[in-house]
Amino acid sequence: MRRLGTGIGWRPEIADAVERMPGIDWVEAVAENVCPGHLPDSLLRLRERGVTVIPHGVSLGLGDAERPDAGRLAALAERAEALGSPLVTEHIAFVRAGGPLTASPRLEAGHLLPVPRTRDALDVLCENVRIAQDALPVPLAVENIAALIAWPGEEMTEGQFLYELADRTGVRLLIDVANLHTNHVNRGEDPAKALAELPLEAIAYVHVAGGFERDGVWHDSHAHPVPRPVLDILTDLASRVSPPGVLLERDENFPEPAELERELGTIRAAVEAGEREGALTRASATTGEHRTTETVTGTGIGTSTATGTSTATWAGAGAGTRTGDEIGAKTKTRTATATVDEFAPTTSEPAPTTSEPAPTALDEATRQRLGLAQAALLSALVAGTPVPEDFDRVRIGVQARALAAKRADVVAKVAPELPLILGSGYRTAFIAYAQGHPMHGGYRQDALDFAEETLLGGRLTEGRARRELRRWWLDRSGPAPRPKSRLGQVGRVGRTLIRR
């Protein structure tokens, strides 16, 4: 399959500008924002011109303790087929917790939260990825995420975790270099070390984005220019492997098209600088007599033999020898010019003396352990319950405020009438609401719940704003069927009060 080249995240706000931009080889669209039966005209025109469109999911929850929802998988598959995409992408994250698995209320994060880098979480993630791979019509690539918080007791580095995930499932990787920078600032993790541990040959493409730092915390906003440290990580990656594709993400605070084009030019220059650096390194290694043999032990890394930055193959899923939780020796040599010729899972000739057993069904107790830990963390973040033991309480507070602020911003987008009705008091009112009312459904339901609580809570006195908010809520909440349960009767009483 052809290389992707340089791309940009397609968003409705910049759709016209993207169509006119020179040198755009492909675009990525948020899967949940695209309706397969009514594709935006802009995407259709791009497709007609031969521009590749890749759906990028944000709500599947591959890192959730529960198995991926069949309906969400079917929806992602439908979008891939409608767009004629060569692959689909999602995130290594959990987005919801609770429910029957933990006998607790189901909670939605409305955000991508990190999974712990533990054996339990990796086992669950691998099985969830395999389920998704079986359900999707095209290959899957998964993205490393940015994190404000770290799980206590982690057993692997990010590079080791990603290496073993790719090794066990054959899944491709979408490496976000901006997220590597975020984790460097927020968690003290070395981006160069992560790149050195990654199976570079498994990379499907690369994300680049901007953010900002406040009070020592880096916020991956996707609303600011790409900073120099992120470009430096991109150059480092390109010196190790020629990335099949690089994409600029921008989600809001969109600049003029000329500024986006300049950013794309800067990104191309960073990749070219890395490729030149890699070529020089290989040339030096070829002409010199320096030879290095390095043995690295640890989960997912195995044994590595390198000559300078010599040529390499990655065995992909099933390579090496595995006994229980231990990873046997793997031999690999890396190359700065390795490329991905296709998006299908990497395969290789089987080892002559060993064989990889077929994956066994995951013990439900493993999912329950992970589910309880995720539910406790998410409840602390969105419901104000006590912070789980050994987490950084300050960072939990920062993350909780960030989640509430994001909910306010997204609800303002899906229900733009609310800020108009409530005026300058909307954001303060919503954040106060969010601190005591976790999100149990999607953002549209969140908007309805906020309006209902505002009306029932007496926060608005009689007047124009209350009348308009009541009318808005009634127009969108739909008819109320006769409830059978006591809880339903309470809801019916609420609706009656609002109608008055």
Side-chain angles (χ1 to χ4, degrees), residues 443-475:
Y443 282 109
R444 287 180 174 80
Q445 184 61 49
D446 206 22
L448 288 169
D449 292 344
F450 165 66
E452 181 178 6
E453 176 63 24
T454 301
L455 291 166
L456 289 175
R459 294 184 177 89
L460 282 180
T461 58
E462 284 298 335
R464 181 191 59 81
R466 181 176 177 83
R467 289 194 301 273
E468 290 186 4
L469 184 61
R470 180 171 54 196
R471 187 180 305 114
W472 180 90
W473 185 87
L474 290 171
D475 287 345

Side-chain angles (χ1 to χ4, degrees), residues 287-364:
T287 57
E289 296 181 357
H290 174 67
R291 179 177 179 84
T292 317
T293 301
E294 177 186 31
T295 301
V296 183
T297 58
T299 304
I301 300 301
T303 302
S304 174
T305 302
T307 305
T309 51
S310 59
T311 57
T313 57
W314 176 62
T321 304
R322 196 183 309 276
T323 304
D325 284 342
E326 298 299 319
I327 308 302
K330 301 182 184 72
T331 301
K332 64 186 176 76
T333 51
R334 294 187 179 275
T335 175
T337 57
T339 60
V340 179
D341 293 327
E342 56 185 30
F343 290 116
T346 307
T347 57
S348 66
E349 292 297 323
T353 58
T354 63
S355 61
E356 180 73 13
T360 57
L362 187 65
D363 183 359
E364 284 301 303

